[in-house]
Tab-separated table of all heavy atoms in Angstrom:
chain	number	residue	atom	x	y	z
A	1	ALA	N	9.000	20.147	-5.994
A	1	ALA	CA	7.624	20.495	-6.367
A	1	ALA	C	6.624	19.502	-5.766
A	1	ALA	O	5.505	19.877	-5.387
A	1	ALA	CB	7.487	20.518	-7.883
A	2	VAL	N	7.036	18.251	-5.667
A	2	VAL	CA	6.160	17.228	-5.086
A	2	VAL	C	6.006	17.471	-3.587
A	2	VAL	O	4.904	17.396	-3.028
A	2	VAL	CB	6.725	15.813	-5.348
A	2	VAL	CG1	5.822	14.757	-4.743
A	2	VAL	CG2	6.898	15.587	-6.840
A	3	ASP	N	7.121	17.792	-2.944
A	3	ASP	CA	7.075	18.097	-1.510
A	3	ASP	C	6.184	19.305	-1.251
A	3	ASP	O	5.399	19.324	-0.281
A	3	ASP	CB	8.492	18.361	-1.007
A	3	ASP	CG	8.569	18.425	0.513
A	3	ASP	OD1	7.755	17.752	1.180
A	3	ASP	OD2	9.427	19.158	1.042
A	4	LYS	N	6.260	20.301	-2.107
A	4	LYS	CA	5.419	21.500	-1.967
A	4	LYS	C	3.953	21.138	-2.078
A	4	LYS	O	3.105	21.681	-1.344
A	4	LYS	CB	5.804	22.522	-3.041
A	4	LYS	CG	5.038	23.839	-2.941
A	4	LYS	CD	5.510	24.814	-4.007
A	4	LYS	CE	4.719	26.124	-3.912
A	4	LYS	NZ	5.166	27.101	-4.957
A	5	ALA	N	3.629	20.206	-2.994
A	5	ALA	CA	2.231	19.781	-3.161
A	5	ALA	C	1.705	19.084	-1.907
A	5	ALA	O	0.499	19.059	-1.657
A	5	ALA	CB	2.111	18.854	-4.370
A	6	PHE	N	2.633	18.515	-1.115
A	6	PHE	CA	2.259	17.898	0.159
A	6	PHE	C	2.425	18.871	1.323
A	6	PHE	O	2.553	18.466	2.471
A	6	PHE	CB	3.125	16.656	0.411
A	6	PHE	CG	2.671	15.413	-0.303
A	6	PHE	CD1	3.141	15.123	-1.581
A	6	PHE	CD2	1.779	14.533	0.292
A	6	PHE	CE1	2.736	13.963	-2.251
A	6	PHE	CE2	1.365	13.374	-0.370
A	6	PHE	CZ	1.838	13.100	-1.637
A	7	ASP	N	2.467	20.173	1.001
A	7	ASP	CA	2.624	21.235	2.007
A	7	ASP	C	3.911	21.065	2.815
A	7	ASP	O	3.962	21.377	4.017
A	7	ASP	CB	1.420	21.259	2.972
A	7	ASP	CG	0.113	21.600	2.264
A	7	ASP	OD1	0.153	22.418	1.319
A	7	ASP	OD2	-0.919	21.041	2.648
A	8	GLY	N	4.949	20.564	2.133
A	8	GLY	CA	6.243	20.405	2.785
A	8	GLY	C	6.315	19.251	3.752
A	8	GLY	O	7.283	19.131	4.513
A	9	LYS	N	5.331	18.371	3.717
A	9	LYS	CA	5.256	17.270	4.683
A	9	LYS	C	5.388	15.886	4.033
A	9	LYS	O	4.982	14.885	4.612
A	9	LYS	CB	3.938	17.344	5.453
A	9	LYS	CG	3.777	18.629	6.263
A	9	LYS	CD	2.436	18.659	6.990
A	9	LYS	CE	2.291	19.946	7.795
A	9	LYS	NZ	0.984	20.007	8.501
A	10	LEU	N	5.986	15.834	2.823
A	10	LEU	CA	6.100	14.550	2.128
A	10	LEU	C	6.890	13.534	2.959
A	10	LEU	O	6.481	12.382	3.107
A	10	LEU	CB	6.769	14.744	0.763
A	10	LEU	CG	7.021	13.479	-0.060
A	10	LEU	CD1	5.735	12.701	-0.296
A	10	LEU	CD2	7.688	13.820	-1.395
A	11	ALA	N	8.028	13.958	3.521
A	11	ALA	CA	8.844	13.046	4.320
A	11	ALA	C	8.073	12.541	5.537
A	11	ALA	O	8.151	11.356	5.901
A	11	ALA	CB	10.132	13.736	4.758
A	12	THR	N	7.311	13.427	6.159
A	12	THR	CA	6.529	13.040	7.337
A	12	THR	C	5.450	12.020	6.980
A	12	THR	O	5.245	11.032	7.686
A	12	THR	CB	5.871	14.288	7.965
A	12	THR	OG1	6.887	15.227	8.306
A	12	THR	CG2	5.079	13.914	9.213
A	13	VAL	N	4.763	12.285	5.849
A	13	VAL	CA	3.723	11.355	5.403
A	13	VAL	C	4.325	9.987	5.101
A	13	VAL	O	3.787	8.948	5.504
A	13	VAL	CB	2.993	11.908	4.156
A	13	VAL	CG1	2.053	10.860	3.569
A	13	VAL	CG2	2.233	13.171	4.501
A	14	LEU	N	5.460	9.969	4.420
A	14	LEU	CA	6.108	8.705	4.068
A	14	LEU	C	6.590	7.962	5.306
A	14	LEU	O	6.475	6.733	5.396
A	14	LEU	CB	7.270	8.966	3.108
A	14	LEU	CG	6.865	9.368	1.684
A	14	LEU	CD1	8.066	9.910	0.911
A	14	LEU	CD2	6.265	8.173	0.950
A	15	GLU	N	7.120	8.699	6.283
A	15	GLU	CA	7.569	8.067	7.521
A	15	GLU	C	6.384	7.447	8.263
A	15	GLU	O	6.501	6.360	8.832
A	15	GLU	CB	8.281	9.083	8.406
A	15	GLU	CG	8.918	8.463	9.633
A	15	GLU	CD	9.742	9.456	10.424
A	15	GLU	OE1	9.484	10.675	10.320
A	15	GLU	OE2	10.660	9.015	11.157
A	16	THR	N	5.249	8.123	8.210
A	16	THR	CA	4.041	7.588	8.837
A	16	THR	C	3.632	6.271	8.189
A	16	THR	O	3.118	5.359	8.850
A	16	THR	CB	2.882	8.598	8.723
A	16	THR	OG1	3.271	9.824	9.344
A	16	THR	CG2	1.622	8.073	9.388
A	17	LEU	N	3.917	6.150	6.882
A	17	LEU	CA	3.584	4.922	6.148
A	17	LEU	C	4.646	3.835	6.309
A	17	LEU	O	4.532	2.760	5.730
A	17	LEU	CB	3.396	5.234	4.662
A	17	LEU	CG	2.187	6.125	4.320
A	17	LEU	CD1	2.213	6.507	2.842
A	17	LEU	CD2	0.887	5.412	4.662
A	18	GLY	N	5.687	4.143	7.069
A	18	GLY	CA	6.720	3.142	7.341
A	18	GLY	C	7.977	3.292	6.513
A	18	GLY	O	8.897	2.488	6.641
A	19	ALA	N	8.045	4.286	5.648
A	19	ALA	CA	9.230	4.479	4.816
A	19	ALA	C	10.375	5.077	5.629
A	19	ALA	O	10.157	5.921	6.496
A	19	ALA	CB	8.895	5.396	3.637
A	20	SER	N	11.579	4.653	5.315
A	20	SER	CA	12.760	5.148	6.028
A	20	SER	C	13.814	5.742	5.109
A	20	SER	O	14.748	6.388	5.571
A	20	SER	CB	13.391	4.002	6.821
A	20	SER	OG	13.923	3.013	5.942
A	21	GLY	N	13.677	5.480	3.803
A	21	GLY	CA	14.702	5.917	2.865
A	21	GLY	C	15.767	4.875	2.622
A	21	GLY	O	16.755	5.125	1.922
A	22	ALA	N	15.572	3.682	3.167
A	22	ALA	CA	16.545	2.604	2.971
A	22	ALA	C	16.605	2.206	1.503
A	22	ALA	O	15.612	2.284	0.780
A	22	ALA	CB	16.165	1.401	3.820
A	23	GLU	N	17.773	1.772	1.075
A	23	GLU	CA	17.986	1.406	-0.329
A	23	GLU	C	16.981	0.355	-0.801
A	23	GLU	O	16.757	-0.651	-0.138
A	23	GLU	CB	19.395	0.872	-0.513
A	23	GLU	CG	19.733	0.508	-1.952
A	23	GLU	CD	21.123	-0.078	-2.091
A	23	GLU	OE1	22.091	0.589	-1.688
A	23	GLU	OE2	21.239	-1.208	-2.592
A	24	GLY	N	16.353	0.619	-1.950
A	24	GLY	CA	15.434	-0.329	-2.564
A	24	GLY	C	14.023	-0.290	-2.035
A	24	GLY	O	13.132	-0.957	-2.576
A	25	GLU	N	13.780	0.482	-0.996
A	25	GLU	CA	12.440	0.579	-0.403
A	25	GLU	C	11.517	1.365	-1.330
A	25	GLU	O	11.883	2.432	-1.821
A	25	GLU	CB	12.582	1.291	0.939
A	25	GLU	CG	11.353	1.432	1.767
A	25	GLU	CD	11.676	2.208	3.035
A	25	GLU	OE1	11.864	3.446	2.933
A	25	GLU	OE2	11.782	1.593	4.104
A	26	VAL	N	10.332	0.843	-1.595
A	26	VAL	CA	9.375	1.501	-2.489
A	26	VAL	C	8.060	1.719	-1.742
A	26	VAL	O	7.504	0.787	-1.160
A	26	VAL	CB	9.114	0.664	-3.758
A	26	VAL	CG1	8.041	1.324	-4.627
A	26	VAL	CG2	10.400	0.504	-4.557
A	27	THR	N	7.585	2.957	-1.763
A	27	THR	CA	6.325	3.309	-1.103
A	27	THR	C	5.460	4.078	-2.083
A	27	THR	O	5.901	5.089	-2.643
A	27	THR	CB	6.571	4.171	0.144
A	27	THR	OG1	7.518	3.522	0.998
A	27	THR	CG2	5.273	4.406	0.907
A	28	LYS	N	4.242	3.608	-2.301
A	28	LYS	CA	3.306	4.292	-3.187
A	28	LYS	C	2.252	5.020	-2.351
A	28	LYS	O	1.793	4.506	-1.334
A	28	LYS	CB	2.611	3.293	-4.111
A	28	LYS	CG	3.526	2.620	-5.117
A	28	LYS	CD	2.731	1.682	-6.027
A	28	LYS	CE	3.628	1.004	-7.047
A	28	LYS	NZ	2.853	0.109	-7.948
A	29	LEU	N	1.855	6.226	-2.794
A	29	LEU	CA	0.789	6.956	-2.124
A	29	LEU	C	0.036	7.821	-3.128
A	29	LEU	O	0.593	8.215	-4.164
A	29	LEU	CB	1.336	7.812	-0.992
A	29	LEU	CG	2.255	9.003	-1.285
A	29	LEU	CD1	2.350	9.888	-0.043
A	29	LEU	CD2	3.660	8.540	-1.649
A	30	PRO	N	-1.227	8.086	-2.869
A	30	PRO	CA	-2.020	8.909	-3.791
A	30	PRO	C	-1.442	10.309	-3.873
A	30	PRO	O	-0.986	10.875	-2.869
A	30	PRO	CB	-3.414	8.916	-3.158
A	30	PRO	CG	-3.427	7.774	-2.210
A	30	PRO	CD	-2.031	7.617	-1.730
A	31	ALA	N	-1.454	10.866	-5.064
A	31	ALA	CA	-0.943	12.222	-5.245
A	31	ALA	C	-1.976	13.252	-4.792
A	31	ALA	O	-3.180	13.041	-4.957
A	31	ALA	CB	-0.581	12.449	-6.707
A	32	PRO	N	-1.518	14.359	-4.229
A	32	PRO	CA	-2.452	15.416	-3.821
A	32	PRO	C	-2.954	16.209	-5.033
A	32	PRO	O	-2.482	16.019	-6.160
A	32	PRO	CB	-1.603	16.292	-2.904
A	32	PRO	CG	-0.209	16.110	-3.414
A	32	PRO	CD	-0.131	14.688	-3.882
A	33	ALA	N	-3.867	17.122	-4.793
A	33	ALA	CA	-4.514	17.879	-5.878
A	33	ALA	C	-3.542	18.723	-6.684
A	33	ALA	O	-3.789	19.024	-7.853
A	33	ALA	CB	-5.610	18.762	-5.281
A	34	GLY	N	-2.422	19.100	-6.120
A	34	GLY	CA	-1.486	19.969	-6.828
A	34	GLY	C	-0.676	19.300	-7.916
A	34	GLY	O	0.083	19.962	-8.633
A	35	LEU	N	-0.813	17.979	-8.065
A	35	LEU	CA	-0.064	17.250	-9.085
A	35	LEU	C	-1.006	16.702	-10.148
A	35	LEU	O	-2.181	16.440	-9.878
A	35	LEU	CB	0.719	16.098	-8.447
A	35	LEU	CG	1.739	16.461	-7.357
A	35	LEU	CD1	2.376	15.205	-6.788
A	35	LEU	CD2	2.813	17.404	-7.907
A	36	LYS	N	-0.479	16.508	-11.355
A	36	LYS	CA	-1.287	15.975	-12.467
A	36	LYS	C	-1.256	14.449	-12.528
A	36	LYS	O	-2.020	13.845	-13.282
A	36	LYS	CB	-0.774	16.537	-13.798
A	36	LYS	CG	-0.792	18.066	-13.893
A	36	LYS	CD	-2.207	18.616	-13.874
A	36	LYS	CE	-2.195	20.127	-14.066
A	36	LYS	NZ	-3.557	20.702	-13.992
A	37	VAL	N	-0.358	13.825	-11.756
A	37	VAL	CA	-0.272	12.358	-11.740
A	37	VAL	C	-1.156	11.803	-10.632
A	37	VAL	O	-1.395	12.486	-9.621
A	37	VAL	CB	1.188	11.887	-11.536
A	37	VAL	CG1	2.069	12.334	-12.685
A	37	VAL	CG2	1.737	12.384	-10.205
A	38	PRO	N	-1.649	10.571	-10.776
A	38	PRO	CA	-2.488	9.994	-9.727
A	38	PRO	C	-1.708	9.365	-8.576
A	38	PRO	O	-2.236	9.212	-7.478
A	38	PRO	CB	-3.306	8.941	-10.474
A	38	PRO	CG	-2.427	8.533	-11.613
A	38	PRO	CD	-1.667	9.763	-12.018
A	39	VAL	N	-0.446	8.988	-8.836
A	39	VAL	CA	0.327	8.238	-7.843
A	39	VAL	C	1.742	8.799	-7.727
A	39	VAL	O	2.378	9.129	-8.738
A	39	VAL	CB	0.423	6.740	-8.236
A	39	VAL	CG1	1.287	5.974	-7.242
A	39	VAL	CG2	-0.955	6.120	-8.300
A	40	VAL	N	2.220	8.889	-6.496
A	40	VAL	CA	3.617	9.229	-6.236
A	40	VAL	C	4.310	7.973	-5.717
A	40	VAL	O	3.781	7.286	-4.830
A	40	VAL	CB	3.750	10.366	-5.203
A	40	VAL	CG1	5.212	10.553	-4.783
A	40	VAL	CG2	3.202	11.664	-5.776
A	41	VAL	N	5.471	7.679	-6.273
A	41	VAL	CA	6.255	6.512	-5.853
A	41	VAL	C	7.555	7.008	-5.245
A	41	VAL	O	8.387	7.606	-5.931
A	41	VAL	CB	6.557	5.583	-7.047
A	41	VAL	CG1	7.389	4.394	-6.586
A	41	VAL	CG2	5.276	5.110	-7.702
A	42	ALA	N	7.708	6.784	-3.945
A	42	ALA	CA	8.944	7.177	-3.268
A	42	ALA	C	9.864	5.963	-3.181
A	42	ALA	O	9.451	4.893	-2.742
A	42	ALA	CB	8.635	7.693	-1.867
A	43	VAL	N	11.100	6.142	-3.623
A	43	VAL	CA	12.045	5.024	-3.637
A	43	VAL	C	13.268	5.388	-2.799
A	43	VAL	O	13.772	6.514	-2.861
A	43	VAL	CB	12.445	4.661	-5.085
A	43	VAL	CG1	13.136	5.825	-5.784
A	43	VAL	CG2	13.336	3.428	-5.103
A	44	GLY	N	13.722	4.440	-1.988
A	44	GLY	CA	14.840	4.682	-1.090
A	44	GLY	C	16.177	4.772	-1.803
A	44	GLY	O	16.483	3.959	-2.674
A	45	LEU	N	16.970	5.770	-1.411
A	45	LEU	CA	18.304	5.978	-1.986
A	45	LEU	C	19.411	5.572	-1.031
A	45	LEU	O	20.590	5.633	-1.379
A	45	LEU	CB	18.486	7.460	-2.349
A	45	LEU	CG	17.690	7.967	-3.555
A	45	LEU	CD1	17.643	9.484	-3.554
A	45	LEU	CD2	18.308	7.455	-4.838
C-alpha cells in the first residue's frame, strides 16, 4: 500500500536517496498524500 502511494516508485525514490536495502540501513522520507502518516521509514533487511 505504501509503494502504491508512491505510484509504484518507492524503491526508485529510496535508491535515489542512497538506500540499498543493506541490513540495518535506515532511510526516512516524507509520506505522500495517499498515506495518513507524515513519515515513512525504510529499513534494510
Side-chain angles (χ1 to χ4, degrees):
V2 180
D3 191 30
K4 183 178 179 180
F6 279 90
D7 296 325
K9 298 179 180 179
L10 177 57
T12 302
V13 172
L14 288 167
E15 187 174 24
T16 302
L17 294 173
S20 67
E23 182 183 303
E25 184 182 74
V26 176
T27 307
K28 293 182 180 181
L29 66 165
L35 301 177
K36 302 294 184 183
V37 297
V39 177
V40 171
V41 179
V43 62
L45 288 164

